[in-house]
Protein backbone atom coordinates (compact mmCIF):
# COMPACT_ATOMS: atom_id res chain seq x y z
CA UNK A 1 0.00 0.00 0.00
CA UNK A 2 1.32 3.48 -0.94
CA UNK A 3 0.39 6.86 0.50
CA UNK A 4 0.57 8.31 -3.05
CA UNK A 5 -2.28 6.04 -4.17
CA UNK A 6 -4.42 6.95 -1.13
CA UNK A 7 -3.97 10.67 -1.81
CA UNK A 8 -4.86 10.27 -5.48
CA UNK A 9 -7.92 8.13 -4.70
CA UNK A 10 -9.35 10.75 -2.34
CA UNK A 11 -8.35 13.63 -4.64
CA UNK A 12 -10.43 11.99 -7.37
CA UNK A 13 -13.44 11.62 -5.08
CA UNK A 14 -13.00 7.95 -4.13
CA UNK A 15 -13.99 6.42 -0.80
CA UNK A 16 -11.08 5.23 1.33
CA UNK A 17 -11.25 1.70 2.74
CA UNK A 18 -10.78 0.96 6.45
CA UNK A 19 -7.39 -0.60 5.60
CA UNK A 20 -6.24 2.56 3.77
CA UNK A 21 -7.33 4.79 6.68
CA UNK A 22 -5.62 2.51 9.23
CA UNK A 23 -2.47 2.50 7.08
CA UNK A 24 -2.10 6.30 6.93
CA UNK A 25 -3.01 6.88 10.60
CA UNK A 26 -0.62 4.18 11.82
CA UNK A 27 2.19 5.35 9.52
CA UNK A 28 1.76 9.03 10.40
CA UNK A 29 1.63 8.35 14.15
CA UNK A 30 4.89 6.36 13.92
CA UNK A 31 6.56 9.10 11.85
CA UNK A 32 6.86 6.87 8.76
CA UNK A 33 4.65 9.09 6.55
CA UNK A 34 5.83 12.70 6.09
CA UNK A 35 3.79 15.83 6.88
CA UNK A 36 3.65 16.92 3.23
CA UNK A 37 1.82 13.76 2.14
CA UNK A 38 -0.68 13.92 5.01
CA UNK A 39 -1.20 17.64 4.28
CA UNK A 40 -2.10 16.71 0.70
CA UNK A 41 -4.55 14.06 1.95
CA UNK A 42 -6.15 16.51 4.43
CA UNK A 43 -6.71 19.00 1.60
CA UNK A 44 -8.21 16.25 -0.59
CA UNK A 45 -10.56 15.31 2.29
CA UNK A 46 -11.40 18.99 2.83
CA UNK A 47 -12.67 19.32 -0.76
CA UNK A 48 -14.01 15.80 -1.44
CA UNK A 49 -15.40 15.19 2.09
CA UNK A 50 -15.83 11.78 3.76
CA UNK A 51 -18.73 9.35 3.98
CA UNK A 52 -20.29 8.35 7.31
CA UNK A 53 -18.41 5.04 7.20
CA UNK A 54 -15.08 6.73 6.38
CA UNK A 55 -15.57 9.23 9.22
CA UNK A 56 -16.29 6.44 11.70
CA UNK A 57 -13.25 4.45 10.52
CA UNK A 58 -11.03 7.54 10.79
CA UNK A 59 -12.29 8.22 14.34
CA UNK A 60 -11.65 4.65 15.48
CA UNK A 61 -8.18 4.60 13.88
CA UNK A 62 -7.24 7.79 15.76
CA UNK A 63 -8.76 6.48 19.02
CA UNK A 64 -6.69 3.29 18.70
CA UNK A 65 -3.46 5.15 17.81
CA UNK A 66 -2.54 5.30 21.50
CA UNK A 67 -3.84 4.08 24.86
CA UNK A 68 -7.48 3.06 25.27
CA UNK A 69 -8.46 3.79 28.86
CA UNK A 70 -9.99 0.70 30.49
CA UNK A 71 -12.66 1.81 32.97
CA UNK A 72 -14.14 -1.66 33.49
CA UNK A 73 -13.13 -1.61 37.17
CA UNK A 74 -15.39 1.37 37.78
CA UNK A 75 -18.81 0.25 38.99
CA UNK A 76 -21.87 1.28 37.01
CA UNK A 77 -22.41 2.95 33.64
CA UNK A 78 -19.70 5.58 33.07
CA UNK A 79 -21.03 8.77 31.45
CA UNK A 80 -18.76 11.47 30.01
CA UNK A 81 -19.66 15.00 28.91
CA UNK A 82 -17.88 17.11 26.32
CA UNK A 83 -18.38 20.77 25.40
CA UNK A 84 -17.23 22.34 22.14
CA UNK A 85 -16.23 25.36 24.27
CA UNK A 86 -17.27 28.94 24.71
CA UNK A 87 -17.05 32.03 26.89
CA UNK A 88 -17.88 31.52 30.57
CA UNK A 89 -18.32 27.77 30.09
CA UNK A 90 -17.82 26.43 33.59
CA UNK A 91 -20.40 23.65 33.18
CA UNK A 92 -18.28 20.69 34.35
CA UNK A 93 -17.62 22.40 37.70
CA UNK A 94 -21.31 22.25 38.67
CA UNK A 95 -22.49 19.36 36.51
CA UNK A 96 -20.03 16.69 37.72
CA UNK A 97 -20.98 16.92 41.44
CA UNK A 98 -24.69 17.11 40.55
CA UNK A 99 -24.56 13.93 38.46
CA UNK A 100 -22.24 12.09 40.88
CA UNK A 101 -24.61 12.92 43.76
CA UNK A 102 -27.34 11.06 41.86
CA UNK A 103 -25.22 7.90 41.76
CA UNK A 104 -23.82 8.11 38.23
CA UNK A 105 -19.99 7.76 38.14
CA UNK A 106 -18.21 10.52 36.22
CA UNK A 107 -14.72 9.64 34.98
CA UNK A 108 -13.52 12.61 32.97
CA UNK A 109 -10.37 13.58 31.13
CA UNK A 110 -9.94 17.31 30.56
CA UNK A 111 -7.37 19.66 29.12
CA UNK A 112 -6.12 23.16 29.67
CA UNK A 113 -7.48 26.11 27.73
CA UNK A 114 -5.78 27.84 24.84
CA UNK A 115 -7.51 31.12 24.04
CA UNK A 116 -10.16 33.19 25.82
CA UNK A 117 -10.21 31.59 29.27
CA UNK A 118 -8.72 28.59 30.98
CA UNK A 119 -9.93 25.04 30.49
CA UNK A 120 -11.63 22.95 33.17
CA UNK A 121 -8.28 22.00 34.73
CA UNK A 122 -7.15 25.64 34.95
CA UNK A 123 -10.41 26.60 36.65
CA UNK A 124 -10.18 23.75 39.15
CA UNK A 125 -6.63 24.84 40.03
CA UNK A 126 -8.24 27.93 41.57
CA UNK A 127 -8.68 25.58 44.55
CA UNK A 128 -5.28 25.73 46.32
CA UNK A 129 -3.48 22.39 46.00
CA UNK A 130 -5.86 20.84 43.45
CA UNK A 131 -4.14 18.44 41.04
CA UNK A 132 -5.23 16.40 38.04
CA UNK A 133 -1.88 14.56 37.88
CA UNK A 134 -3.46 11.25 38.86
CA UNK A 135 -2.30 7.77 38.00
CA UNK A 136 -4.89 5.54 36.33
CA UNK A 137 -5.13 3.63 39.64
CA UNK A 138 -5.85 6.81 41.63
CA UNK A 139 -8.32 7.96 38.97
CA UNK A 140 -10.32 4.71 39.14
CA UNK A 141 -10.12 4.64 42.96
CA UNK A 142 -11.49 8.21 43.21
CA UNK A 143 -14.41 7.48 40.89
CA UNK A 144 -15.31 4.34 42.86
CA UNK A 145 -15.07 6.07 46.26
CA UNK A 146 -16.10 9.69 45.58
CA UNK A 147 -18.17 9.15 42.44
CA UNK A 148 -16.15 11.53 40.25
CA UNK A 149 -12.59 12.29 39.15
CA UNK A 150 -10.90 14.47 36.56
CA UNK A 151 -7.53 13.55 35.12
CA UNK A 152 -5.31 15.55 32.77
CA UNK A 153 -5.18 14.21 29.22
CA UNK A 154 -2.23 11.87 28.73
CA UNK A 155 0.18 12.16 25.82
CA UNK A 156 -0.76 8.62 24.79
CA UNK A 157 -4.48 9.36 24.38
CA UNK A 158 -5.28 9.56 20.64
CA UNK A 159 -1.78 10.83 19.68
CA UNK A 160 -2.74 10.71 15.97
CA UNK A 161 -5.32 13.43 16.61
CA UNK A 162 -2.73 15.68 18.26
CA UNK A 163 -0.41 15.35 15.24
CA UNK A 164 -3.22 15.74 12.70
CA UNK A 165 -4.75 18.77 14.40
CA UNK A 166 -1.41 20.60 14.54
CA UNK A 167 -0.99 19.92 10.81
CA UNK A 168 -4.56 20.97 9.92
CA UNK A 169 -4.13 24.15 11.93
CA UNK A 170 -1.31 25.38 9.66
CA UNK A 171 -2.68 24.06 6.35
CA UNK A 172 -6.18 25.64 6.41
CA UNK A 173 -7.92 22.27 6.73
CA UNK A 174 -9.48 22.62 10.20
CA UNK A 175 -12.94 23.56 8.96
CA UNK A 176 -14.24 20.20 7.71
CA UNK A 177 -17.14 18.47 9.48
CA UNK A 178 -15.71 14.93 9.31
CA UNK A 179 -12.27 16.05 10.51
CA UNK A 180 -13.72 18.13 13.38
CA UNK A 181 -16.08 15.35 14.48
CA UNK A 182 -13.42 12.63 14.32
CA UNK A 183 -10.96 14.82 16.27
CA UNK A 184 -13.42 15.33 19.15
CA UNK A 185 -14.84 11.82 19.19
CA UNK A 186 -11.51 9.96 18.94
CA UNK A 187 -10.49 11.40 22.33
CA UNK A 188 -13.90 10.70 23.86
CA UNK A 189 -13.90 7.07 22.66
CA UNK A 190 -10.31 6.53 23.83
CA UNK A 191 -11.27 7.88 27.28
CA UNK A 192 -13.40 4.79 27.85
CA UNK A 193 -16.87 6.07 28.86
CA UNK A 194 -19.96 3.93 28.18
CA UNK A 195 -22.11 6.93 27.24
CA UNK A 196 -21.25 10.42 25.98
CA UNK A 197 -23.30 13.61 26.29
CA UNK A 198 -22.13 16.41 23.98
CA UNK A 199 -22.77 20.12 24.57
CA UNK A 200 -22.44 21.69 21.12
CA UNK A 201 -22.35 25.49 21.24
CA UNK A 202 -23.56 27.87 18.53
CA UNK A 203 -23.28 31.67 18.23
CA UNK A 204 -20.71 34.45 18.21
CA UNK A 205 -18.69 32.91 21.07
CA UNK A 206 -18.70 29.39 19.66
CA UNK A 207 -16.53 27.52 17.17
CA UNK A 208 -19.70 26.90 15.11
CA UNK A 209 -21.12 30.39 14.57
CA UNK A 210 -24.14 29.22 12.54
CA UNK A 211 -26.83 27.06 14.13
CA UNK A 212 -27.14 24.83 11.05
CA UNK A 213 -23.39 24.03 11.25
CA UNK A 214 -23.62 23.23 14.97
CA UNK A 215 -26.52 20.86 14.32
CA UNK A 216 -24.68 19.19 11.44
CA UNK A 217 -21.60 18.66 13.66
CA UNK A 218 -23.77 17.30 16.48
CA UNK A 219 -25.49 14.82 14.16
CA UNK A 220 -22.10 13.69 12.80
CA UNK A 221 -20.71 13.08 16.30
CA UNK A 222 -23.83 11.25 17.50
CA UNK A 223 -23.58 8.95 14.46
CA UNK A 224 -19.89 8.25 15.18
CA UNK A 225 -20.61 7.47 18.84
CA UNK A 226 -23.47 5.13 18.00
CA UNK A 227 -21.48 3.39 15.26
CA UNK A 228 -18.77 2.80 17.88
CA UNK A 229 -21.32 1.23 20.23
CA UNK A 230 -21.57 4.15 22.68
CA UNK A 231 -24.84 5.74 23.75
CA UNK A 232 -24.33 9.31 22.46
CA UNK A 233 -26.57 12.37 22.85
CA UNK A 234 -25.98 15.97 21.75
CA UNK A 235 -27.49 19.16 23.16
CA UNK A 236 -27.27 22.32 21.01
CA UNK A 237 -27.00 25.39 23.27
CA UNK A 238 -26.66 29.12 22.73
CA UNK A 239 -23.29 30.91 22.91
CA UNK A 240 -24.32 34.27 21.46
CA UNK A 241 -23.52 35.79 24.84
CA UNK A 242 -21.38 34.52 27.74
CA UNK A 243 -22.77 31.56 29.68
CA UNK A 244 -23.93 32.83 33.06
CA UNK A 245 -22.41 36.11 34.27
CA UNK A 246 -18.81 35.24 35.18
CA UNK A 247 -15.93 35.02 32.68
CA UNK A 248 -12.55 34.16 34.23
CA UNK A 249 -11.24 31.17 36.14
CA UNK A 250 -11.80 31.73 39.88
CA UNK A 251 -14.82 33.91 39.11
CA UNK A 252 -16.40 31.03 37.19
CA UNK A 253 -15.64 28.64 40.07
CA UNK A 254 -17.52 30.99 42.41
CA UNK A 255 -20.49 31.07 40.04
CA UNK A 256 -20.53 27.26 39.79
CA UNK A 257 -20.54 27.05 43.60
CA UNK A 258 -23.44 29.54 43.77
CA UNK A 259 -25.30 27.35 41.27
CA UNK A 260 -24.82 24.33 43.53
CA UNK A 261 -26.29 26.46 46.33
CA UNK A 262 -29.37 27.06 44.19
CA UNK A 263 -28.48 30.66 43.26
CA UNK A 264 -27.12 30.14 39.75
CA UNK A 265 -27.89 32.20 36.63
CA UNK A 266 -30.97 31.02 34.73
CA UNK A 267 -29.15 30.04 31.52
CA UNK A 268 -26.34 28.20 33.29
CA UNK A 269 -28.77 26.36 35.58
CA UNK A 270 -30.91 25.36 32.58
CA UNK A 271 -27.87 23.97 30.78
CA UNK A 272 -26.70 21.96 33.81
CA UNK A 273 -30.19 20.49 34.28
CA UNK A 274 -30.55 19.67 30.57
CA UNK A 275 -27.13 18.00 30.22
CA UNK A 276 -27.40 16.39 33.65
CA UNK A 277 -30.80 14.89 32.92
CA UNK A 278 -29.44 13.26 29.76
CA UNK A 279 -26.46 11.92 31.73
CA UNK A 280 -28.77 10.40 34.36
CA UNK A 281 -30.96 8.83 31.67
CA UNK A 282 -27.89 7.41 29.86
CA UNK A 283 -26.62 6.03 33.18
CA UNK A 284 -29.93 4.36 34.02
CA UNK A 285 -30.74 6.59 37.00
CA UNK A 286 -33.92 8.06 35.46
CA UNK A 287 -36.49 6.96 32.92
CA UNK A 288 -37.25 10.38 31.46
CA UNK A 289 -35.99 13.98 31.45
CA UNK A 290 -38.52 15.30 33.99
CA UNK A 291 -37.71 12.61 36.56
CA UNK A 292 -33.99 13.26 36.00
CA UNK A 293 -34.35 17.04 36.45
CA UNK A 294 -36.27 16.52 39.70
CA UNK A 295 -33.42 14.36 41.03
CA UNK A 296 -30.84 16.98 40.07
CA UNK A 297 -32.87 19.78 41.66
CA UNK A 298 -33.18 17.68 44.82
CA UNK A 299 -29.40 17.24 45.24
CA UNK A 300 -28.99 21.01 44.89
CA UNK A 301 -31.77 21.74 47.39
CA UNK A 302 -30.53 19.31 50.05
CA UNK A 303 -26.88 20.42 49.73
CA UNK A 304 -25.52 17.01 48.66
CA UNK A 305 -24.22 18.33 45.30
CA UNK A 306 -22.19 21.04 47.06
CA UNK A 307 -20.90 18.47 49.56
CA UNK A 308 -19.94 16.21 46.63
CA UNK A 309 -17.90 19.06 45.08
CA UNK A 310 -16.02 19.44 48.39
CA UNK A 311 -15.31 15.67 48.51
CA UNK A 312 -14.14 15.70 44.88
CA UNK A 313 -11.81 18.70 45.47
CA UNK A 314 -10.36 17.17 48.65
CA UNK A 315 -9.77 13.79 46.96
CA UNK A 316 -7.57 15.54 44.38
CA UNK A 317 -5.50 17.48 46.92
CA UNK A 318 -7.49 20.72 46.86
CA UNK A 319 -8.67 22.95 49.71
CA UNK A 320 -12.26 21.77 50.26
CA UNK A 321 -12.91 24.69 52.64
CA UNK A 322 -12.79 27.00 49.60
CA UNK A 323 -16.04 25.35 48.44
CA UNK A 324 -17.76 26.76 51.54
CA UNK A 325 -15.71 29.97 51.83
CA UNK A 326 -14.99 31.34 48.35
CA UNK A 327 -12.83 34.14 49.80
CA UNK A 328 -10.11 31.46 49.91
CA UNK A 329 -10.05 31.42 46.08
CA UNK A 330 -7.68 33.75 44.14
CA UNK A 331 -8.78 37.42 44.19
CA UNK A 332 -7.76 40.32 41.96
CA UNK A 333 -6.33 43.52 43.48
CA UNK A 334 -8.50 45.87 41.38
CA UNK A 335 -12.29 45.61 41.10
CA UNK A 336 -13.89 48.23 38.86
CA UNK A 337 -17.40 48.80 37.50
CA UNK A 338 -18.02 49.54 33.81
CA UNK A 339 -20.83 52.15 33.65
CA UNK A 340 -23.29 52.22 30.76
CA UNK A 341 -22.83 55.24 28.44
CA UNK A 342 -26.59 55.42 27.78
CA UNK A 343 -29.91 53.94 28.79
CA UNK A 344 -31.82 51.29 26.89
CA UNK A 345 -31.95 47.54 26.41
CA UNK A 346 -28.94 45.28 25.91
CA UNK A 347 -29.51 44.33 22.27
CA UNK A 348 -26.37 42.27 21.68
CA UNK A 349 -23.14 41.26 23.40
CA UNK A 350 -20.31 40.18 21.07
CA UNK A 351 -19.50 37.04 23.02
CA UNK A 352 -16.08 36.34 21.51
CA UNK A 353 -15.04 39.94 22.30
CA UNK A 354 -15.88 39.43 25.99
CA UNK A 355 -13.63 36.37 25.89
CA UNK A 356 -10.84 38.50 24.43
CA UNK A 357 -11.33 41.00 27.27
CA UNK A 358 -10.61 38.19 29.74
CA UNK A 359 -7.57 37.20 27.67
CA UNK A 360 -6.28 40.80 27.77
CA UNK A 361 -6.60 40.79 31.58
CA UNK A 362 -4.52 37.58 31.75
CA UNK A 363 -7.34 35.06 32.19
CA UNK A 364 -6.44 33.00 29.10
CA UNK A 365 -3.48 31.78 27.07
CA UNK A 366 -2.19 33.27 23.83
CA UNK A 367 0.41 30.48 23.57
CA UNK A 368 0.86 27.12 25.31
CA UNK A 369 3.62 28.68 27.42
CA UNK A 370 1.46 31.58 28.71
CA UNK A 371 0.78 31.69 32.46
CA UNK A 372 -2.85 32.24 33.45
CA UNK A 373 -3.85 34.72 36.15
CA UNK A 374 -6.64 32.76 37.87
CA UNK A 375 -8.02 35.80 39.71
CA UNK A 376 -8.93 38.10 36.79
CA UNK A 377 -11.97 38.36 34.55
CA UNK A 378 -15.32 40.02 34.02
CA UNK A 379 -18.65 39.57 35.78
CA UNK A 380 -21.57 40.81 33.69
CA UNK A 381 -24.25 42.75 35.51
CA UNK A 382 -26.63 42.75 32.53
CA UNK A 383 -27.48 40.18 29.85
CA UNK A 384 -29.18 40.50 26.45
CA UNK A 385 -32.74 41.84 26.88
CA UNK A 386 -32.07 43.54 30.24
CA UNK A 387 -32.76 47.28 30.68
CA UNK A 388 -29.87 49.48 31.81
CA UNK A 389 -29.90 53.11 32.98
CA UNK A 390 -27.18 55.57 32.02
CA UNK A 391 -24.30 55.21 34.49
CA UNK A 392 -25.53 51.86 35.78
CA UNK A 393 -22.96 49.05 35.80
CA UNK A 394 -22.86 46.85 32.71
CA UNK A 395 -20.12 44.68 34.21
CA UNK A 396 -17.49 44.49 36.92
CA UNK A 397 -13.87 43.95 35.86
CA UNK A 398 -11.42 42.11 38.13
CA UNK A 399 -7.82 43.02 37.24
CA UNK A 400 -4.26 43.19 38.54
CA UNK A 401 -2.96 45.75 36.04
CA UNK A 402 -4.43 49.23 35.44
CA UNK A 403 -3.30 49.36 31.82
CA UNK A 404 -4.92 46.02 31.03
CA UNK A 405 -8.04 47.13 32.92
CA UNK A 406 -8.45 50.19 30.69
CA UNK A 407 -7.89 48.19 27.51
CA UNK A 408 -10.43 45.53 28.58
CA UNK A 409 -13.00 48.17 29.60
CA UNK A 410 -12.76 49.89 26.21
CA UNK A 411 -13.10 46.61 24.36
CA UNK A 412 -16.02 45.47 26.52
CA UNK A 413 -17.98 48.68 25.87
CA UNK A 414 -17.45 48.22 22.13
CA UNK A 415 -18.80 44.65 22.44
CA UNK A 416 -22.14 45.79 23.89
CA UNK A 417 -24.90 47.32 21.79
CA UNK A 418 -27.73 49.19 23.55
CA UNK A 419 -31.07 49.61 21.77
CA UNK A 420 -34.30 51.52 22.41
CA UNK A 421 -36.45 48.40 22.22
CA UNK A 422 -35.95 45.02 23.81
CA UNK A 423 -34.64 42.31 21.43
CA UNK A 424 -36.69 39.20 20.67
CA UNK A 425 -35.81 36.47 23.15
CA UNK A 426 -34.29 33.34 21.56
CA UNK A 427 -34.48 29.83 23.04
CA UNK A 428 -31.34 28.88 24.96
CA UNK A 429 -31.52 25.14 24.21
CA UNK A 430 -31.83 24.85 20.43
CA UNK A 431 -32.24 21.10 19.97
CA UNK A 432 -31.46 17.71 21.53
CA UNK A 433 -30.17 15.08 19.08
CA UNK A 434 -30.40 11.42 20.12
Amino acid sequence: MRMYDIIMKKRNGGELSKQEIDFFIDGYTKGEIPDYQVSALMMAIYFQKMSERETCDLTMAMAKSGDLLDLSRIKGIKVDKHSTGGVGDKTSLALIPMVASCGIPVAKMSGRGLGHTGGTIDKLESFPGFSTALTTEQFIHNVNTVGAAIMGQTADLAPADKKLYALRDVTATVDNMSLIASSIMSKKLAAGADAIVLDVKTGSGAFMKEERDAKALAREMVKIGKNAGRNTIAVISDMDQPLGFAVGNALEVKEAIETLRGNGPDDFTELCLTLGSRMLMAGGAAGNAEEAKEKLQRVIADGSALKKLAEFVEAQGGDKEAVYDTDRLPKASIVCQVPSPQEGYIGHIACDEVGICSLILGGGRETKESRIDLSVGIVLQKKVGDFVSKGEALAVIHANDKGKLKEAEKRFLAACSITRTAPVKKPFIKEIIV
Side-chain angles (χ1 to χ4, degrees):
M1 198 175 290
R2 295 193 310 157
M3 190 64 183
Y4 177 92
D5 298 324
I6 294 172
I7 296 165
M8 188 164 67
K9 182 178 180 181
K10 181 45 76 177
R11 186 201 70 183
N12 293 340
E15 190 171 333
L16 301 182
S17 68
K18 180 182 184 300
Q19 291 74 21
E20 287 167 330
I21 290 169
D22 288 345
F23 173 81
F24 103 75
I25 288 294
D26 184 57
Y28 188 50
T29 305
K30 290 176 177 173
E32 295 166 357
I33 297 173
D35 279 351
Y36 59 82
Q37 284 192 307
V38 178
S39 298
L41 180 60
M42 292 298 103
M43 191 60 76
I45 290 170
Y46 180 86
F47 284 114
Q48 296 291 0
K49 314 222 178 311
M50 295 186 100
S51 68
E52 183 180 325
R53 196 269 309 153
E54 281 179 296
T55 305
C56 186
D57 285 343
L58 175 63
T59 306
M60 292 310 298
M62 290 199 294
K64 292 174 180 175
S65 66
D67 293 341
L68 293 173
L69 203 58
D70 180 8
L71 302 182
S72 59
R73 285 179 291 153
I74 295 174
K75 303 160 202 156
I77 298 171
K78 281 73 70 181
V79 185
D80 197 359
K81 164 256 169 194
H82 174 79
S83 169
T84 57
V87 180
D89 187 4
K90 72 285 291 178
T91 311
S92 293
L93 305 177
L95 185 61
I96 288 171
M98 287 166 63
V99 171
S101 295
C102 294
I104 299 298
V106 183
K108 185 165 178 54
M109 278 198 170
S110 288
R112 298 186 181 278
L114 182 60
H116 296 152
T117 56
T120 299
I121 289 177
D122 299 301
K123 290 166 192 177
L124 283 166
E125 286 176 352
S126 298
F127 291 105
F130 188 93
S131 172
T132 55
L134 305 176
T135 65
T136 303
E137 289 300 319
Q138 290 171 318
F139 181 63
I140 290 170
H141 172 77
N142 283 11
V143 179
N144 278 330
T145 53
V146 177
I150 289 187
M151 181 163 78
Q153 238 165 255
T154 69
D156 292 327
L157 193 78
D161 173 63
K162 192 174 286 186
K163 287 191 76 173
L164 271 182
Y165 191 88
L167 192 67
R168 287 165 53 215
D169 196 32
V170 295
T171 56
T173 53
V174 168
D175 193 14
N176 171 277
M177 208 63 76
S178 290
L179 296 177
I180 295 166
S182 59
S183 174
I184 293 169
M185 291 302 292
S186 63
K187 294 189 286 287
K188 291 290 109 182
L189 295 175
D194 302 312
I196 303 162
V197 176
L198 302 161
D199 178 17
V200 183
K201 308 289 193 187
T202 181
S204 66
F207 179 63
M208 290 294 178
K209 309 292 183 194
E210 300 297 326
E211 194 173 320
R212 65 177 181 274
D213 293 334
K215 288 179 178 178
L217 175 62
R219 282 191 286 269
E220 192 89 17
M221 292 193 292
V222 168
K223 280 181 198 168
I224 291 169
K226 289 186 172 177
N227 285 336
R230 311 291 174 90
N231 183 4
T232 309
I233 304 106
V235 174
I236 315 292
S237 65
D238 183 72
M239 190 45 79
D240 234 2
Q241 62 176 329
L243 180 60
F245 293 98
V247 180
N249 299 279
L251 298 171
E252 291 182 39
V253 170
K254 289 178 186 178
E255 188 163 81
I257 289 170
E258 282 304 304
T259 302
L260 294 177
R261 287 178 175 149
N263 306 318
D266 291 345
D267 58 348
F268 182 55
T269 301
E270 182 183 358
L271 182 63
C272 288
L273 291 174
T274 303
L275 294 170
S277 64
R278 294 291 160 176
M279 291 174 79
L280 293 197
M281 289 163 66
N288 57 60
E290 284 311 307
E291 180 193 345
K293 283 183 181 178
E294 284 174 15
K295 286 191 172 187
L296 292 164
Q297 287 165 329
R298 204 176 303 137
V299 296
I300 291 172
D302 67 16
S304 55
L306 188 68
K307 184 183 175 189
K308 183 62 70 179
L309 176 63
E311 290 173 15
F312 160 69
V313 168
E314 183 179 36
Q316 297 199 205
D319 178 11
K320 73 170 185 177
E321 295 307 318
V323 172
Y324 303 107
D325 178 10
T326 55
D327 281 343
R328 297 168 78 102
L329 297 170
K331 285 186 285 190
S333 58
I334 308 167
V335 179
C336 180
Q337 290 190 350
V338 181
S340 176
Q342 64 190 87
E343 76 166 29
Y345 293 91
I346 308 297
H348 177 67
I349 299 173
C351 189
D352 49 353
E353 284 294 302
V354 179
I356 291 169
C357 290
S358 178
L359 182 65
I360 288 166
L361 292 165
R365 285 187 183 85
E366 294 194 61
T367 68
K368 286 180 182 177
E369 291 72 37
S370 300
R371 285 179 62 85
I372 282 185
D373 185 339
L374 296 171
S375 68
V376 301
I378 298 173
V379 181
L380 305 184
Q381 302 299 295
K382 301 289 180 180
K383 298 281 293 257
V384 171
D386 290 344
F387 183 82
V388 61
S389 302
K390 184 178 180 179
E392 190 180 0
L394 287 170
V396 175
I397 294 180
H398 295 246
N400 288 314
D401 181 294
K402 287 183 179 178
K404 290 177 180 178
L405 167 67
K406 289 297 175 189
E407 189 182 348
E409 180 180 11
K410 183 180 176 183
R411 192 143 190 165
F412 179 78
L413 285 170
C416 298
S417 69
I418 298 171
T419 57
R420 290 184 179 180
T421 55
V424 177
K425 191 171 182 182
K426 299 184 293 183
F428 176 69
I429 302 294
K430 310 292 186 183
E431 191 176 337
I432 297 174
I433 295 168
V434 296

